[in-house]
């Protein structure tokens, strides 16, 4: 009798423990560069904002764990023979986080909103391949003229200006994420607040505490919710990579999307497989203000570029997690051949420095008449160390440098708002594997990303020609000509090609290194 009671009690305890385990909340603590400036998908412009938005929303297409495009709200699509019309069939079980069905009209509303000039979308030109998109965005046509139609609730038709071989990849970008029309109409710009927001992705926003975290919780209405293993995601701003590493080691972060380069050797020795380094589709560069009196001179710009020892930066400052870069378009990108490398790529660094001094002397500058420049960079030991090294490399030319550091949000707001600067650190990570995604940045009308204020009609004409060229080989040749002009005029000084660095705990499953460094929380699981 006593034994029987004891066994029964033990069985009850085991059942209770099992039940508790089954309902225990699974929390993912995710380091993510910086606080978002905005959670409005039509006004965002950074990769760290995109990481959050891809968890909150699902577009017509989405990303798999391997960074490749998969069906999203659209279960399938067809392309017309001329490559200019895409017909999407929307899944029947797509819902918003308030239970509303996701319908084709939601995408019509969303695409018209991002193109409406009143929205002020910095990234609208990503979707310019859509028929009349550029005209709408520039106020030359009405939003209703955009080439997007809801044929019925589950069928969406998008017409393009010309065949665009990478159009489906474009739709994976955060600009292609839908907004909930009723919420935007009711709350205006406040639709992004946690108490108002309605999302259609694997998660929905619970709270945003600036300088602390963004909290997202599982969306029970998501069509694949049964396969989402995470209940809650905390995104933490981790501008201080060294502090993020310490938090990771203490178990406070499950992953972080960067790491301190000055501690690469330590991480390789002590973290083993938890320190991930992988190829990444991106370029680290310095923007040069073409309206600056000194930097207007092409000889000055070329001299500054030639004097930079890129191999030293990549290997010594960045611990071989970067590769020396001599073109703006990174090698290996799709729909392209070899990039347009700088003509001094194969010169020795000593010869480059001598040529740089010669160019500056020709421009009337040197130790007796030094160039005074500022380098602006956003908070990070990596960026600081790079700026200090570049300043030292420019010193023998007779260039005196002052360093200005601000937090990431302030730094990029300064660039986008066209405030005064001389030289500014920036980086570009490809949203899709095509050279256009890099070269479009310095088109004269790209106010959102043309930080250099570069204006060259010849360059613009080549980009326009490439946009309507169907033959991929001819298109690649045209884009190569544009990049050659870029490397001659240097709106930006390309310095390094990125490698992605991630800290990934052994507790995390589902994290796959990929060229775009995209890792939706949807595919992750956490074990104790």
């Amino acid at each position: 009798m006593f034994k029987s009671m004891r066994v029964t009690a033990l069985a009850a305890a085991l059942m209770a423990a099992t039940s508790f385990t089954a309902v225990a909340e699974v929390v993912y603590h995710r380091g993510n560069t910086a606080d978002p400036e905005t959670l409005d998908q039509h006004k965002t412009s950074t990769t760290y904002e995109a990481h959050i938005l891809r968890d909150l929303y699902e577009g017509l297409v989405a990303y798999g764990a391997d960074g490749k495009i998969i069906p999203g709200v659209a279960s399938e699509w067809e392309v017309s023979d001329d490559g200019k019309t895409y017909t999407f069939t929307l899944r029947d079980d797509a819902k918003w986080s308030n239970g509303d069905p996701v319908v084709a009209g939601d995408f019509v509303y969303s695409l018209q909103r991002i193109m409406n000039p009143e929205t002020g979308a910095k990234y609208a030109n990503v979707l310019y391949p859509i028929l009349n998109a550029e005209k709408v965005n520039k106020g030359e046509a009405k939003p209703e003229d955009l080439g997007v139609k809801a044929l019925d609730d589950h069928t969406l038709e998008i017409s393009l200006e010309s065949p665009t071989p990478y159009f489906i990849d474009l739709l994976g970008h955060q600009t292609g994420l839908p907004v909930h029309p009723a919420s935007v109409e009711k709350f205006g710009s406040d639709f992004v607040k946690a108490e108002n927001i309605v999302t259609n992705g694997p998660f929905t926003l619970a709270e945003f505490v600036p300088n602390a975290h963004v909290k997202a919780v599982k969306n029970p209405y998501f069509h694949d919710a049964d396969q989402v293993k995470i209940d809650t995601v905390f995104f933490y701003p981790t501008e201080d990579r060294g502090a993020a590493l310490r938090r990771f080691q203490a178990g406070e972060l499950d992953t972080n999307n960067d790491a301190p380069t000055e501690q690469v050797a330590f991480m390789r020795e002590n973290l083993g497989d938890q320190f991930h380094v992988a190829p990444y589709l991106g370029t680290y560069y310095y923007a040069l203000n073409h309206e600056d009196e000194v930097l207007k001179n092409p000889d000055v710009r070329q001299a500054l570029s030639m004097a930079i020892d890129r191999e030293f930066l990549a290997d010594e400052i960045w611990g071989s997690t970067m590769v020396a870069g001599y073109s703006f378009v990174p090698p290996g990108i799709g729909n392209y051949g070899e990039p347009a490398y700088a003509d001094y790529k194969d010169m020795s660094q000593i010869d480059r420095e001598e040529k740089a001094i010669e160019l500056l002397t020709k421009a009337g500058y040197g130790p007796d008449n030094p160039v005074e420049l500022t380098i602006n960079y956003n908070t990070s030991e990596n960026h600081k160390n790079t700026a200090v090294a570049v300043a030292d490399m420019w010193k023998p030319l007779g260039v005196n440098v002052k360093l200005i550091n601000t937090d990431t949000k302030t730094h990029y707001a300064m660039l986008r708002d066209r405030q005064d600067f001389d030289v500014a650190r920036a980086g570009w990570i490809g949203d899709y594997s095509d050279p256009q995604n890099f070269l479009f940045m310095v088109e004269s009308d790209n106010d959102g990303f043309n930080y250099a204020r570069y204006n060259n009609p010849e360059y613009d004409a080549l980009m326009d020609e490439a946009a309507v060229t169907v033959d991929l080989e001819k298109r690649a040749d045209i884009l190569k000509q544009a990049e050659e002009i870029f490397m001659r005029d240097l709106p930006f000084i390309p310095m390094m090609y990125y490698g992605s660095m991630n800290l990934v705990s052994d507790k995390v499953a589902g994290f796959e290194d990929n060229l775009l460094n995209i890792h939706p929380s949807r595919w992750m699981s956490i074990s104790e």
Side-chain angles (χ1 to χ4, degrees):
M1 173 77 174
F2 177 74
K3 180 179 179 182
S4 174
M5 288 177 63
R6 188 170 63 184
V7 169
T8 302
L10 178 61
L14 286 171
M15 287 178 65
T18 302
S19 175
F20 177 78
T21 301
V23 297
E25 183 182 28
V26 180
V27 181
Y28 176 18
H29 298 282
R30 180 169 181 167
N32 188 46
T33 304
D35 265 344
E37 276 191 69
T38 178
L39 289 176
D40 183 337
Q41 52 269 58
H42 294 163
K43 297 183 179 180
T44 181
S45 60
T46 68
T47 55
Y48 55 87
E49 289 166 335
H51 294 323
I52 300 171
L53 289 165
R54 278 191 293 265
D55 274 8
L56 299 180
Y57 294 93
E58 182 176 65
L60 293 167
V61 297
Y63 287 101
D66 59 1
K68 294 181 179 176
I69 291 289
I70 61 172
V73 173
S75 56
E76 59 185 9
W77 51 87
E78 295 179 357
V79 186
S80 62
D81 291 341
D82 64 2
K84 292 171 66 174
T85 304
Y86 285 69
T87 305
F88 297 88
T89 301
L90 275 55
R91 56 173 68 248
D92 295 332
D93 55 353
K95 292 185 178 181
W96 292 97
S97 56
N98 66 350
D100 289 350
V102 180
V103 296
D106 297 338
F107 285 93
V108 174
Y109 178 93
S110 299
L111 290 169
Q112 288 179 352
R113 178 179 185 263
I114 192 171
M115 287 305 157
N116 190 328
E118 293 179 5
T119 300
K122 303 289 188 184
Y123 227 150
N125 50 14
V126 168
L127 297 172
Y128 275 6
I130 298 175
L131 183 66
N132 292 328
E134 184 172 6
K135 290 178 182 175
V136 172
N137 192 232
K138 292 180 176 179
E140 299 167 2
K142 297 177 181 178
E144 305 82 64
D145 297 329
L146 188 68
V148 184
K149 274 191 236 175
L151 302 184
D152 56 48
D153 280 352
H154 295 287
T155 312
L156 179 73
E157 181 182 275
I158 299 181
S159 301
L160 307 184
E161 292 279 356
S162 59
T164 306
Y166 52 90
F167 182 64
I168 291 297
D169 291 324
L170 289 186
L171 293 177
H173 189 260
Q174 64 261 34
T175 50
L177 297 173
V179 295
H180 182 249
S183 299
V184 176
E185 291 298 312
K186 182 176 181 180
F187 299 109
S189 60
D190 286 341
F191 84 92
V192 298
K193 292 185 175 180
E195 61 268 27
N196 301 332
I197 200 166
V198 177
T199 70
N200 74 322
F203 301 90
T204 195
L205 182 67
E207 59 185 26
F208 173 21
V209 182
N211 302 313
H213 62 258
V214 171
K215 180 182 178 182
V217 296
K218 186 174 176 179
N219 174 13
Y221 287 103
F222 182 58
H223 61 83
D224 201 29
D226 290 347
Q227 300 303 312
V228 177
K229 308 300 183 188
I230 303 292
D231 296 308
T232 302
V233 185
F234 284 96
F235 290 90
Y236 301 99
T238 52
E239 286 185 297
D240 186 333
R241 274 67 167 177
L245 173 59
R246 292 190 291 275
R247 292 181 68 184
F248 178 79
Q249 289 179 286
E252 297 174 14
L253 296 177
D254 297 313
T255 64
N256 193 58
N257 67 329
D258 206 348
T261 54
E262 67 274 13
Q263 298 191 59
V264 165
F266 170 84
M267 291 183 289
R268 284 183 167 141
E269 181 178 348
N270 293 279
L271 298 184
D273 292 341
Q274 295 184 107
F275 176 47
H276 291 220
V277 179
Y280 197 14
L281 191 68
T283 302
Y284 187 106
Y285 66 91
Y286 275 1
L288 303 179
N289 185 348
H290 277 229
E291 293 178 355
D292 179 85
E293 202 57 44
V294 174
L295 295 174
K296 279 181 179 178
N297 190 318
D299 288 334
V300 173
R301 299 195 300 269
Q302 285 293 339
L304 294 175
S305 180
M306 294 182 79
I308 295 174
D309 186 341
R310 292 159 171 81
E311 282 74 14
F312 178 87
L313 296 179
D315 296 337
E316 301 301 324
I317 302 296
W318 289 84
S320 299
T321 60
M322 296 272 216
V323 176
Y326 293 92
S327 61
F328 188 54
V329 178
I333 201 166
N335 304 321
Y336 209 38
E338 281 282 291
Y341 291 116
D343 56 12
Y344 46 83
K345 174 178 180 289
D346 297 322
M347 290 171 63
S348 71
Q349 189 59 38
I350 292 175
D351 289 343
R352 286 182 210 159
E353 289 173 5
E354 289 179 355
K355 181 64 175 176
I357 291 171
E358 181 185 318
L359 286 171
L360 266 191
T361 302
K362 176 185 170 187
Y365 299 103
D368 296 332
N369 183 29
V371 173
E372 305 288 341
L373 293 176
T374 58
I375 296 178
N376 290 66
Y377 66 93
N378 55 302
T379 302
S380 160
E381 283 301 307
N382 306 348
H383 303 328
K384 177 183 177 181
N385 293 339
T386 300
V388 169
V390 169
D392 285 343
M393 293 168 190
W394 286 349
K395 193 173 292 184
L397 279 61
V399 178
N400 298 327
V401 174
K402 178 183 176 182
L403 304 182
I404 300 177
N405 165 233
T406 54
D407 65 87
T408 301
K409 185 160 54 173
T410 303
H411 177 76
Y412 279 104
M414 177 274 294
L415 290 173
R416 283 194 300 273
D417 295 344
R418 300 175 75 84
Q419 297 174 26
D420 190 42
F421 76 95
D422 298 332
V423 180
R425 177 268 152 191
W428 184 255
I429 307 303
D431 301 303
Y432 43 93
S433 189
D434 188 275
Q436 182 273 348
N437 188 226
F438 285 79
L439 298 174
F440 89 111
M441 293 179 67
V442 294
E443 292 179 24
S444 60
D445 60 354
N446 191 347
D447 292 339
F449 298 101
N450 185 359
Y451 305 144
R453 302 159 202 184
Y454 178 63
N455 188 339
N456 185 331
E458 182 186 5
Y459 184 90
D460 290 346
L462 286 168
M463 294 302 294
D464 290 343
E465 184 182 354
V468 296
T469 301
V470 178
D471 185 288
L472 286 178
E473 287 190 16
K474 289 180 180 176
R475 177 177 177 271
D477 288 341
I478 296 166
L479 291 171
K480 179 80 168 279
Q481 292 175 51
E483 191 182 12
E484 287 169 352
I485 292 173
F486 181 108
M487 294 306 297
R488 180 197 72 198
D489 292 352
L490 287 180
F492 304 157
I493 297 178
M495 294 159 62
M496 292 171 284
Y497 308 124
Y498 275 99
S500 65
M501 292 190 290
N502 287 279
L503 303 177
V504 184
S505 169
D506 289 335
K507 297 190 302 181
V508 177
F511 187 103
E512 295 185 25
D513 293 322
N514 59 76
L515 193 61
L516 292 177
N517 199 27
I518 287 175
H519 307 283
S521 303
R522 169 185 178 182
W523 308 112
M524 309 292 182
S525 61
I526 311 288
S527 61
E528 292 301 328

